[in-house]
Amino acid sequence: MILKNKNKFMAEKKIIAVIGATGAQGGGVARAILNDKNSEFAVRAVTRDPNSDKAKELAKMGAEVVAGDVDDVQSLKRVLKGAYGAFFVTFFWAHYSAEKEMAEAKNMAEAAKEAGLKHVIWSTLEDTRKYVPLDDNRMPTLQGKYKVPHFDGKGESDHYFTDLGVPTTFLLASYYWENLIYFGMGPKRGADGKLAITFPMGNKKMAGIGAEDIGKCAYGIFKRGTELIGKTVGIAGEQLTCHEMAKALSKALGKEVSYNEITPAQYRSLGFPGADDVGNMFQFYRDFDEVCNSVRDVKFSKALNPALKSFEMWLAENAQRIPLD
């Protein structure tokens, strides 16, 4: 009888299909829901490889794990069937193609419409060409038709959801502090042996957030029901200058870290894959700081996610994971 009641309880929960459930954003959303045992939602974790360690971990936590392919609209239609809502995210850094992201977003919107989903969160970003037109030479045009490809493709894709009338909240995330761990943006030793972080941000504030908090904020959006449908919600844990980031890193690491300011052009020439795209992104953050920071509201993020971490709080848990050259 207890098992029967449990199954009935589970069946009554609203299913949220989480695309990219083993990735940074999707994984955060899935765990935020699964860690709340009183949640009105259940998780359908959609991943290309249900047999991966991360997928198995989500299954242990109580997720329904299913195989799905964002490049195949029929696959998406199958995994969305019977769901209440979905969290949609694309994966630019797996292929560096804005066109591929846009095709995936179109597939998601079409599948969501057919499935009759009641609430979709689309993890998008600004189309920077609205602020820096292609003929504006302040920053180079990339791939022939973008300024910041990994922003512009997502921003341009917003219309797929609005054109089809999909009930959507448009989520704008911030700079991942995890980039200091995984993307080579942490402190490096210069020729003088001293540690420094290198950014082309001048003294402008940049919105940042821990990846896990993105998922918790998204869960907060779902919990508000229809309130945020049709709205754009920007989230951040804190807005800091690079000098302030360096000071916080120094304190957390117990080693002096300074801010090595360079120009966007110098950053674009650093030579790592996507350096031109990332250099343009930082230039957009710097030159349009008021635009970026006004929409990424720390106070509202905290309302969505009361456990929201500041940079100092994030460092307290993660500083020792930052590799130091």
Side-chain angles (χ1 to χ4, degrees), residues 282-316:
F282 285 127
Q283 186 173 345
F284 175 66
Y285 277 151
R286 184 195 72 178
D287 294 352
F288 296 90
D289 59 309
E290 289 186 12
V291 169
C292 295
N293 290 328
S294 63
V295 75
R296 288 165 173 82
D297 187 331
V298 176
K299 188 176 178 182
F300 189 64
S301 301
K302 184 90 172 171
L304 291 171
N305 166 26
L308 184 74
K309 292 182 177 68
S310 65
F311 188 46
E312 190 173 316
M313 292 164 69
W314 181 86
L315 282 172

Side-chain angles (χ1 to χ4, degrees), residues 21-320:
T22 57
Q25 289 196 32
V29 176
R31 286 187 292 275
I33 297 171
L34 293 167
N35 283 329
D36 180 358
K37 298 309 175 192
N38 297 315
S39 178
E40 64 184 296
F41 301 109
V43 172
R44 180 176 293 162
V46 182
T47 176
R48 288 181 190 270
D49 182 10
N51 294 311
S52 71
D53 290 343
K54 288 182 178 178
K56 288 176 180 175
E57 188 61 36
L58 291 174
K60 278 185 196 170
M61 292 177 71
E64 172 195 4
V65 179
V66 300
D69 184 350
V70 292
D71 296 312
D72 178 355
V73 70
Q74 295 306 321
S75 168
L76 284 172
K77 287 176 180 177
R78 283 195 300 275
V79 300
L80 296 182
K81 193 172 182 183
Y84 162 83
F87 179 83
F88 289 142
V89 63
T90 48
F91 320 100
F92 178 88
W93 301 110
H95 46 69
Y96 298 87
S97 170
E99 278 84 3
K100 190 173 173 68
E101 276 198 298
M102 290 167 65
E104 291 168 352
K106 186 170 186 284
N107 287 344
M108 291 173 190
E110 289 176 358
K113 179 67 175 178
E114 182 165 310
L117 298 188
K118 299 293 191 290
H119 193 178
V120 161
I121 295 177
W122 160 233
S123 182
T124 186
L125 287 165
E126 291 92 343
D127 185 339
T128 65
R129 295 165 296 182
K130 293 177 180 176
Y131 305 92
V132 190
L134 293 183
D135 61 1
D136 186 329
N137 293 323
R138 277 179 295 173
M139 66 172 69
T141 295
L142 305 178
Q143 300 177 18
K145 50 186 172 182
Y146 306 105
K147 289 297 184 179
V148 184
H150 80 280
F151 273 53
D152 300 348
K154 294 181 184 71
E156 187 176 330
S157 297
D158 291 354
H159 77 90
Y160 294 131
F161 297 90
T162 52
D163 289 354
L164 290 172
V166 176
T168 305
T169 302
F170 300 89
L171 181 67
L172 298 175
S174 299
Y175 172 83
Y176 286 21
W177 290 325
E178 277 77 8
N179 288 330
L180 298 170
I181 302 172
Y182 302 115
F183 207 63
M185 293 186 185
K188 300 278 189 296
R189 292 197 188 277
D192 58 3
K194 294 180 180 177
L195 290 168
I197 51 171
T198 297
F199 292 99
M201 283 295 300
N203 201 37
K204 298 293 184 67
K205 287 186 182 289
M206 178 170 66
I209 195 167
E212 201 71 8
D213 278 329
I214 298 172
K216 290 177 181 177
C217 288
Y219 178 35
I221 290 170
F222 280 127
K223 286 196 288 186
R224 294 206 175 200
T226 60
E227 179 189 336
L228 296 173
I229 287 173
K231 302 285 200 314
T232 296
V233 177
I235 56 173
E238 196 168 6
Q239 296 170 356
L240 297 166
T241 66
C242 292
H243 285 294
E244 289 168 336
M245 287 179 68
K247 187 176 179 181
L249 281 161
S250 299
K251 181 181 175 184
L253 294 167
K255 302 175 191 292
E256 187 64 30
V257 178
S258 62
Y259 166 37
N260 175 37
E261 183 187 342
I262 62 173
T263 67
Q266 287 171 319
Y267 199 96
R268 287 189 284 268
S269 69
L270 289 178
F272 63 84
D276 50 359
D277 187 330
V278 178
N280 279 8
M281 175 194 78
F282 285 127
Q283 186 173 345
F284 175 66
Y285 277 151
R286 184 195 72 178
D287 294 352
F288 296 90
D289 59 309
E290 289 186 12
V291 169
C292 295
N293 290 328
S294 63
V295 75
R296 288 165 173 82
D297 187 331
V298 176
K299 188 176 178 182
F300 189 64
S301 301
K302 184 90 172 171
L304 291 171
N305 166 26
L308 184 74
K309 292 182 177 68
S310 65
F311 188 46
E312 190 173 316
M313 292 164 69
W314 181 86
L315 282 172
E317 295 181 5
N318 294 283
Q320 299 312 313

